Amino acid sequence: MASTALRRIPRPVHRLLSTLTNTRAHAKAKIAQIDAISPFSPSLVDSYGRKHDYLRISLTERCNLRCFYCMPSEGVELSPDGNILTNDEVIRLATLFVRSGVTKIRLTGGEPTVRKGIEELIGRLNELRSLGLKSIAMTSNGLVLRRRLPKLIENGLTHLNLRSLHFPSIITRAKHLYSLDTLDPFKFELMTRRPGHDAVLKALDVALTSSLQSVKLNVVVIKGLNDSELVDFVEMTKDKALSVRFIEFMPFTGNKWDAKKMVPSADLLEQLTGRYPNLYRASDELNDTARSWKIPGYAGSFGFISSIRWTDQGYNDSLAME
């Protein structure tokens, strides 16, 4: 009976079913091939022979701050929930990238801590260490991080960046990156349109006393607002293994950028050289975005991230997944 029923199916339908079956089989074979690849996959090597082993994953567009240089006070239009990667999709894609040679994953947003299940997700990413993953980093504004950080570290988090700058994509999308831009609570609320300065400082203290391999603090420098705090931030590196990175106020559509508000990195370095004449150029992390400097006897370091990178900053080895 079954064979008779099959014979009655029109030939075009048979051809369609056959095509679908072959397509699925081809897709499964391709996935199996990718899964079997030993690092480093040629697909992650560009035309200049550079290996891209660093993957940034945007977990959400939502943010619990409204920094004036970042977005309007009412926020921005969000994508439908169906357009956001699920945890299973994040893990599946991360697995493919790690099998292909990615060794570092950074979780960004929006603000990644507002995503439900962030602790579980980091725990699942941590299971990829057996495939070659070496570090799991996160970029956060630190607002709700203090109580959650120990569990995140327990589940596998190794690196933390505290920052709140919103960088535009070269095309249309935008990314949120995060900073503590002032040590003054009043200025903090003025810049972020939200309270929470003390919460961020407490999160930083927890991070610095934890087992994290790296803690970085980014500062967006704006003339007439927080450029007088340079030395205060540098002094935070005296007794703490902290990397403070000063970021030029960057122009992009919608943030009302004004050249008069920007302080070039060269000017910042000149000011700090006058205060610390013995400072010296430190070795940067491979393909880091900042140029780093150290002061003799200081535990940490500081650096600069320019709107237009200096030629000695190498190349960007990161891949982005949104």
Side-chain angles (χ1 to χ4, degrees), residues 45-69:
V45 179
D46 64 24
S47 58
Y48 293 95
R50 300 175 299 193
K51 296 180 178 180
H52 296 266
D53 58 1
Y54 172 21
L55 175 66
R56 291 182 290 109
I57 303 176
S58 177
L59 297 180
T60 180
E61 296 174 328
R62 300 179 184 277
C63 185
N64 45 11
L65 293 180
R66 294 292 182 271
C67 301
F68 75 84
Y69 51 75

Side-chain angles (χ1 to χ4, degrees), residues 221-256:
V221 181
I222 300 176
K223 184 178 293 186
L225 188 56
N226 63 347
D227 56 327
S228 62
E229 300 181 61
L230 289 182
V231 172
D232 295 332
F233 277 108
V234 170
E235 284 300 306
M236 293 177 69
T237 71
K238 185 172 185 177
D239 302 312
K240 301 173 182 176
L242 174 67
S243 174
V244 175
R245 285 114 65 90
F246 298 108
I247 303 177
E248 290 180 353
F249 182 29
M250 300 187 181
F252 62 92
T253 303
N255 76 338
K256 298 180 180 179

Side-chain angles (χ1 to χ4, degrees), residues 89 159 172 184 275 321:
E89 289 171 335
H159 296 67
T172 56
D184 183 320
R275 175 64 182 261
M321 188 171 78

Side-chain angles (χ1 to χ4, degrees), residues 150-161:
K151 184 63 176 178
L152 294 172
I153 295 173
E154 179 184 338
N155 284 9
L157 187 71
T158 58
H159 296 67
L160 176 67
N161 276 31

Side-chain angles (χ1 to χ4, degrees), residues 52-314:
H52 296 266
D53 58 1
Y54 172 21
L55 175 66
R56 291 182 290 109
I57 303 176
S58 177
L59 297 180
T60 180
E61 296 174 328
R62 300 179 184 277
C63 185
N64 45 11
L65 293 180
R66 294 292 182 271
C67 301
F68 75 84
Y69 51 75
C70 171
M71 66 168 72
S73 58
E74 67 274 12
V76 295
E77 183 178 354
L78 301 175
S79 299
D81 290 342
N83 290 0
I84 304 299
L85 291 171
T86 66
N87 282 4
D88 287 342
E89 289 171 335
V90 169
I91 295 300
R92 176 57 183 158
L93 290 169
T95 301
L96 292 174
F97 275 102
V98 172
R99 285 185 181 276
S100 297
V102 163
T103 59
K104 179 179 180 179
I105 290 177
R106 175 173 296 281
L107 303 176
T108 68
E111 168 53 39
T113 59
V114 305
R115 175 164 172 145
K116 294 181 180 179
I118 181 68
E119 293 88 353
E120 175 193 358
L121 181 59
I122 288 178
R124 293 178 65 183
L125 287 172
N126 196 47
E127 295 174 3
L128 300 181
R129 288 184 178 277
S130 61
L131 301 178
L133 183 65
K134 295 180 180 179
S135 67
I136 303 173
M138 184 172 72
T139 293
S140 172
N141 58 28
L143 202 60
V144 298
L145 195 59
R146 179 168 63 99
R147 291 185 176 87
R148 305 179 69 177
L149 190 56
K151 184 63 176 178
L152 294 172
I153 295 173
E154 179 184 338
N155 284 9
L157 187 71
T158 58
H159 296 67
L160 176 67
N161 276 31
L162 288 175
R163 50 192 188 177
S164 59
L165 178 63
H166 177 119
F167 285 110
S169 163
I170 294 176
I171 308 176
T172 56
R173 293 294 300 279
K175 307 183 189 312
H176 295 68
L177 304 177
Y178 304 90
S179 72
L180 176 64
D181 301 317
T182 177
L183 297 175
D184 183 320
F186 175 76
K187 289 182 182 178
F188 177 89
E189 193 161 341
L190 179 68
M191 298 176 77
T192 66
R193 302 190 182 103
R194 295 290 188 274
H197 183 265
D198 186 58
V200 177
L201 287 179
K202 288 180 178 178
L204 177 60
D205 287 339
V206 172
L208 289 170
T209 56
S210 72
S211 60
L212 285 170
Q213 297 177 23
S214 171
V215 180
K216 297 177 181 178
L217 178 65
N218 284 15
V219 182
V220 181
V221 181
I222 300 176
K223 184 178 293 186
L225 188 56
N226 63 347
D227 56 327
S228 62
E229 300 181 61
L230 289 182
V231 172
D232 295 332
F233 277 108
V234 170
E235 284 300 306
M236 293 177 69
T237 71
K238 185 172 185 177
D239 302 312
K240 301 173 182 176
L242 174 67
S243 174
V244 175
R245 285 114 65 90
F246 298 108
I247 303 177
E248 290 180 353
F249 182 29
M250 300 187 181
F252 62 92
T253 303
N255 76 338
K256 298 180 180 179
W257 182 82
D258 184 347
K260 296 178 181 178
K261 297 179 181 178
M262 192 191 84
V263 186
S265 294
D267 292 356
L268 299 177
L269 178 59
E270 183 179 357
Q271 292 180 41
L272 291 174
T273 301
R275 175 64 182 261
Y276 306 100
N278 295 326
L279 63 83
Y280 62 93
R281 185 80 160 84
S283 58
D284 300 322
E285 295 181 17
L286 181 63
N287 305 319
D288 195 4
T289 55
R291 293 163 287 108
S292 299
W293 301 78
K294 284 186 66 70
I295 300 171
Y298 279 49
S301 64
F302 66 91
F304 305 95
I305 298 178
S306 304
S307 301
I308 300 176
R309 296 185 186 173
W310 291 11
T311 56
D312 66 346
Q313 280 185 254

